[in-house]
Amino acid sequence: MTQAAVRTEAASAAGQDILTIAREQVLERGVALNQEQTLEVLRLGDDRLEELLALAHDVRMKWCGPEVEVEGIISLKTGGCPEDCHFCSQSGLFQSPVRAAWLDIPSLVEAAKQTAKSGATEFCIVAAVRGPDARLMAQVAAGVEAIRNEVDIQVACSLGMLNQEQVDQLAAMGVHRYNHNLETAKSHFTKVVTTHSYEERYDTLRMVREAGMEVCSGGILGMGESLEQRAEFAVQLAELEPDEVPLNFLNPRPGTPFGDLEVLPASDALRAVAAFRLALPRTILRFAGGREITLGDLGAKQGILGGINAVIVGNYLTTLGRPAEADIDLLGELKMPIKALNESF
């Protein structure tokens, strides 16, 4: 055991405050919180929330810097998915109002242009599928080529689970980042999805990493997981060493198995944002879906001052987001520069 580990263990044994430990361990030395420490943070009372968010912000500024990465997303194929992810209105197994639809290439390019105009450096093509078939891969290839010919923006993809051939094809297209969320802690996964396994998702991410693409993987908070499982999830993501972690908050969708779950309280959501920052001090931590209903406008500011250093602007796949202008104006107000395109490569 290192001297630093001995100091941390001794501090914990002596009952030293978790934020004091985190300040020395994470802020000063850049060493992430472990699962037990992350759980301690998640158990802090609301009276410590402001102090916690300030520490998480200091960690983000020291180990990531002030820049904020801005991304837009578009659904190439919406609805009709054969999987049973209990949070998702795009599953063809649930009685939700979302119906299957495809987007054409000109519309895809126009969406990328509008995303770039907002100041975003990242444009993610998403499809509601278990994994891409030949038709979808051909559509993605055509879309990526068309976008790269007309728009100065990085292209990412989120197309479900991949095989090695598909991973290699995406890398050859110039897709630089691939999103595939682990969604939740491994111990809670079967309560969220039953039609595929946690391991299948993990295998896709491993192949993506080995092919040289950046790994983007996060999940959704507020799906009935315990605080212990929330801490477990943070540490499992840290072990994956993703380049980016999108943090979503459940927006219960009608017709889905999770449609009647309560929205995560704002204080719990902000506490989780800070805890994930302390467990992932050097990672891009992105505000994603559900933040509007969970946190509102005030929460957007608190989150960006509490560890977040990336945002998705505009609408999500099947739900409305904040207007892009609102987020861009907020970043200007907070004097946080948008990450330049050449820094996103």
Side-chain angles (χ1 to χ4, degrees):
M1 185 179 291
T2 65
Q3 287 185 339
V6 170
R7 288 200 306 272
T8 299
E9 185 176 272
S12 296
Q16 190 169 339
D17 179 68
I18 185 58
L19 294 188
T20 301
I21 295 171
R23 188 167 284 106
E24 190 275 334
Q25 177 179 320
V26 188
L27 180 59
E28 299 303 325
R29 294 191 283 116
V31 177
L33 295 188
N34 62 31
Q35 186 169 329
E36 182 179 344
Q37 292 169 327
T38 303
L39 178 57
E40 284 190 65
V41 169
L42 290 169
R43 286 174 169 165
L44 288 172
D46 287 354
D47 60 320
R48 306 295 304 280
L49 183 57
E50 186 175 342
E51 181 185 0
L52 169 61
L53 291 171
L55 174 59
H57 178 65
D58 288 344
V59 168
R60 167 268 175 110
M61 293 294 284
K62 179 168 183 177
W63 297 108
C64 299
E67 295 84 10
V68 176
E69 187 178 283
V70 177
E71 178 184 46
I73 61 176
I74 192 72
S75 181
L76 178 59
K77 177 196 173 290
T78 303
C81 181
E83 304 303 288
D84 74 343
C85 304
H86 291 10
F87 54 83
C88 187
S89 59
Q90 299 200 61
S91 172
L93 304 178
F94 308 143
Q95 296 298 315
S96 68
V98 176
R99 293 293 173 260
W102 285 76
L103 192 69
D104 59 36
I105 299 302
S107 298
L108 195 66
V109 173
E110 181 59 29
K113 288 179 178 179
Q114 294 304 315
T115 297
K117 284 181 181 179
S118 74
T121 58
E122 189 87 9
F123 182 71
C124 188
I125 300 171
V126 182
V129 290
R130 175 185 175 88
D133 58 13
R135 176 193 177 192
L136 179 56
M137 288 297 290
Q139 191 86 342
V140 169
V144 171
E145 182 179 11
I147 291 168
R148 291 169 68 88
N149 286 339
E150 296 194 41
V151 189
D152 190 18
I153 198 167
Q154 288 281 36
V155 180
C157 285
S158 181
L159 312 172
M161 291 172 287
L162 305 174
N163 59 38
Q164 188 63 60
E165 181 182 2
Q166 292 164 337
V167 169
D168 294 341
Q169 288 173 346
L170 291 172
M173 290 176 203
V175 173
H176 94 290
R177 184 181 293 170
Y178 192 80
N179 164 254
H180 193 48
N181 289 339
L182 290 178
E183 300 301 7
T184 191
K186 185 176 182 180
S187 67
H188 190 56
F189 190 85
T190 56
K191 300 289 181 64
V192 176
V193 185
T194 69
T195 49
H196 60 264
S197 69
Y198 178 95
E199 288 76 17
E200 287 177 284
R201 285 181 177 249
Y202 197 95
D203 285 346
T204 287
L205 295 167
R206 175 185 51 77
M207 289 187 288
V208 165
R209 167 83 70 203
E210 291 173 354
M213 287 183 281
E214 290 189 358
V215 170
C216 171
S217 186
I220 304 176
L221 303 180
M223 297 193 294
E225 74 279 1
S226 65
L227 290 184
E228 288 81 3
Q229 287 168 327
R230 212 166 283 169
E232 174 195 346
F233 183 37
V235 171
Q236 286 168 346
L237 286 171
E239 290 171 350
L240 178 65
E241 297 183 339
D243 298 278
E244 174 189 342
V245 169
L247 275 184
N248 301 270
F249 306 99
L250 183 68
N251 182 349
R253 307 314 300 155
T256 67
F258 287 168
D260 294 328
L261 290 184
E262 294 184 3
V263 172
L264 195 67
S267 59
D268 287 356
L270 290 170
R271 206 166 4 253
V273 166
F276 274 65
R277 170 52 67 201
L278 298 179
L280 295 146
R282 293 175 174 82
T283 302
I284 297 172
L285 196 59
R286 188 181 298 278
F287 254 159
R291 63 186 170 110
E292 296 77 19
I293 187 173
T294 303
L295 296 170
D297 291 342
L298 178 61
K301 182 174 182 178
Q302 288 178 300
I304 292 171
L305 293 177
I308 291 292
N309 65 329
V311 294
I312 292 176
V313 294
N315 296 333
Y316 305 112
L317 301 176
T318 60
T319 58
L320 298 177
R322 276 163 54 90
E325 298 79 11
D327 280 326
I328 301 302
D329 289 348
L330 176 60
L331 296 179
E333 175 191 333
L334 298 177
K335 295 182 171 55
M336 291 184 181
I338 295 173
K339 190 173 184 180
L341 182 62
N342 62 6
E343 295 174 351
S344 300
F345 281 87

